[in-house]
Amino acid sequence: MRIHKKSTIRGLRDIRTHSGRVESAGVPYVTYMKISALEMEKARRETEKFSAEARIGNIDQRLAEIEAEKEALLVGVGERTNTATRRPASDKSAPARQEGKQGFRVKY
């Protein structure tokens, strides 16, 4: 069996040149393009930041509304007392009240 060796003849494609190896830092338009890309990303991130801050504000507002509504409901069922809706101390039919931040409790 004969083994053929690959020929060592080189063509025009095998000649090494310096084309395409120019320092990208030396070409001004490449640097300006990088700066432009960074500025566009910065603008997008600032828009995201403002949007996130607005969402956080909406969430904080809703949490305050939830707490106010919860407090009103607790006053309504007698779990919390309000100065205008205090029950007399002699009323034994009223459910037991838990003062403080312990939450809503139901006794069976």
Side-chain angles (χ1 to χ4, degrees):
M1 208 180 241
R2 277 181 135 178
I3 298 176
H4 294 284
K5 289 189 176 184
K6 195 172 190 182
S7 77
T8 57
I9 300 173
R10 294 185 178 186
L12 188 58
R13 294 182 188 178
D14 297 321
I15 298 174
R16 295 183 183 203
T17 64
H18 292 289
S19 68
R21 295 185 186 189
V22 178
E23 290 286 326
S24 63
V27 181
Y29 76 89
V30 174
T31 304
Y32 285 118
M33 286 297 293
K34 286 182 180 179
I35 292 170
S36 298
L38 289 172
E39 285 294 326
M40 288 189 297
E41 182 180 2
K42 180 181 174 184
R44 281 193 309 268
R45 297 295 180 191
E46 286 175 347
T47 303
E48 288 177 18
K49 180 182 173 185
F50 293 138
S51 176
E53 287 172 349
R55 285 194 311 267
I56 289 171
N58 291 339
I59 291 170
D60 287 341
Q61 180 183 0
R62 180 60 185 146
L63 288 173
E65 291 171 359
I66 289 170
E67 282 299 317
E69 188 174 344
K70 179 180 126 183
E71 198 62 34
L73 291 171
L74 288 173
V75 167
V77 296
E79 190 68 23
R80 298 266 197 277
T81 57
N82 194 357
T83 56
T85 60
R86 273 206 181 133
R87 291 186 179 163
S90 64
D91 188 6
K92 299 292 183 187
S93 64
R97 293 184 209 157
Q98 298 288 331
E99 295 297 326
K101 299 248 180 192
Q102 296 157 349
F104 184 69
R105 293 189 181 184
V106 177
K107 291 189 177 185
Y108 294 97

